[in-house]
Amino acid sequence: MVSTGYCLNETCLKLQADNVPEGRRASAFGILSGIASSAFVCGNLSTRFLSTASTFQVSASAAIASLVYMRVFLQDSIIDEQLTAPILTSTGKPKGKGKAYATNEIPSKNGKTFKSAPSMEDMLCLLKSSVTLSQAAVVAFFYSLAEVGLHASLMYYLKARFHFNKDQFADMMVISGIAGTISQVVLMPILAPALGEARLLAVGLFFTCVHVFLYSIAWTFWVPYVAAMFSVLFVFSQPCMRSIVSKQVGSCEQGKAQGCISGISSFANVISPLIFSPLTALFLSERAPFHFPGFSIMCVGFASMIAFIQSLMIRITPPIANEKVCGSNYVDA
């Protein structure tokens, strides 16, 4: 189910990148994320009125409905192969600086076409093709490491610290979802053109650090609710990062670039609970080396701080328009 969700997410991102001008792409990604946040809120609210068995049935029906809608109404973008040129040669070495086909040139017959699923070598070539893309990958890794680490630890921490139950935890998620939806749909289309994706990414990651650290030092039961409201600002991170990535590759490489970032995020999603769940259990037990119940949450904050520091180093380079990375999975046309 998770892998299917990632595939649908990358498909939507690719379609948006192919059909939205670069200047409006961050706003478009933000609106898409806002719609997803509103669906998250509706899903949480609906569970209050559905039985456990009905919840799974409704979830399955909604997933089938989205699949049918995508199959019937969404069409993959048509890419004009005459407007593309390879960034790398088939050996993985970059081509000469500034050598890219103009929009009115026709590539030679020695051009490359994609023939199979990209390999790890292709992904590495893609990341090496742009410093900005490599930096975004580092940000994605530590951001996902922190995000999943927080989700894996927070419920146990709040239950042990303030005796939260599932309804209170659901209320926090609804508050966070509503605040994030309003921010992404209303504020992001205004702030993204004014500040730019890189600055807005740094702002989002900064407030991610603040809200995680606030959880870790929460001194009373209402502090987590205040921390949840910081989603008004930290939700900017993901759309801005995706927009930066989309501008570093050509139209033929949108799916591969977004999939690469999602793959890195998925790897972080796997290892994060393995790190933070045992750490949370240790510091919530009597075997803790020192008394600090929120220590594991603070460590999550340090991971998000690494992502924030890396985001400050990102300098947006001119986009590689209408180009594509070639690797061992490309053959002569």
Side-chain angles (χ1 to χ4, degrees), residues 6-249:
Y6 271 117
C7 290
L8 291 173
N9 185 44
E10 301 324 311
T11 301
C12 293
L13 290 171
K14 177 186 180 299
L15 289 171
Q16 278 198 319
D18 288 343
N19 293 280
V20 177
E22 289 182 355
R24 300 168 55 190
R25 203 168 286 172
S27 300
F29 285 163
I31 292 173
L32 177 65
S33 297
I35 293 172
S37 296
S38 66
F40 174 78
V41 171
C42 293
N44 274 287
L45 292 176
S46 66
T47 57
R48 296 293 185 93
F49 308 101
L50 298 173
S51 64
T52 302
S54 299
T55 299
F56 288 102
Q57 293 172 356
V58 172
S59 298
S61 300
I64 293 172
S66 65
L67 178 62
V68 171
Y69 177 88
M70 186 175 69
R71 182 68 182 85
V72 174
F73 295 103
L74 295 184
Q75 295 182 355
D76 197 5
S77 304
I78 299 175
I79 303 300
D80 186 355
E81 292 297 337
Q82 294 185 356
L83 303 181
T84 61
I87 298 174
L88 306 177
T89 63
S90 58
T91 60
K93 296 181 180 180
K95 298 187 75 172
K97 293 182 179 180
K99 291 183 179 180
Y101 294 111
T103 55
N104 59 349
E105 287 186 29
I106 299 176
S108 67
K109 294 182 179 180
N110 293 326
K112 305 291 184 179
T113 57
F114 190 63
K115 73 168 184 175
S116 63
S119 65
M120 182 63 69
E121 182 182 359
D122 297 323
M123 295 297 100
L124 292 175
C125 288
L126 180 66
L127 293 175
K128 290 178 181 179
S129 67
S130 169
V131 174
T132 303
L133 192 59
S134 301
Q135 292 173 326
V138 175
V139 171
F141 176 81
F142 284 101
Y143 176 78
S144 297
L145 191 73
E147 182 181 37
V148 176
L150 181 65
H151 292 166
S153 308
L154 186 61
M155 185 164 57
Y156 300 104
Y157 166 70
L158 293 177
K159 184 176 181 179
R161 189 85 169 84
F162 304 113
H163 307 289
F164 269 40
N165 57 35
K166 60 182 179 63
D167 292 333
Q168 290 171 303
F169 195 72
D171 291 339
M172 281 181 49
M173 290 193 292
V174 169
I175 292 171
S176 179
I178 292 174
T181 299
I182 295 173
S183 179
Q184 289 171 318
V185 174
V186 178
L187 294 181
M188 191 161 181
I190 300 173
L191 295 177
L195 299 179
E197 293 95 332
R199 289 181 182 177
L200 201 55
L201 172 63
V203 169
L205 290 172
F206 173 77
F207 282 100
T208 298
C209 299
V210 172
H211 111 280
V212 173
F213 285 133
L214 193 57
Y215 277 131
S216 69
I217 61 171
W219 57 91
T220 187
F221 74 94
W222 55 263
V223 176
Y225 292 99
V226 175
M229 295 184 67
F230 274 87
S231 64
V232 170
L233 296 169
F234 70 71
V235 291
F236 297 143
S237 304
Q238 193 70 246
C240 288
M241 181 172 59
R242 296 293 187 167
S243 178
I244 290 171
V245 169
S246 74
K247 293 182 179 181
Q248 299 307 306
V249 295

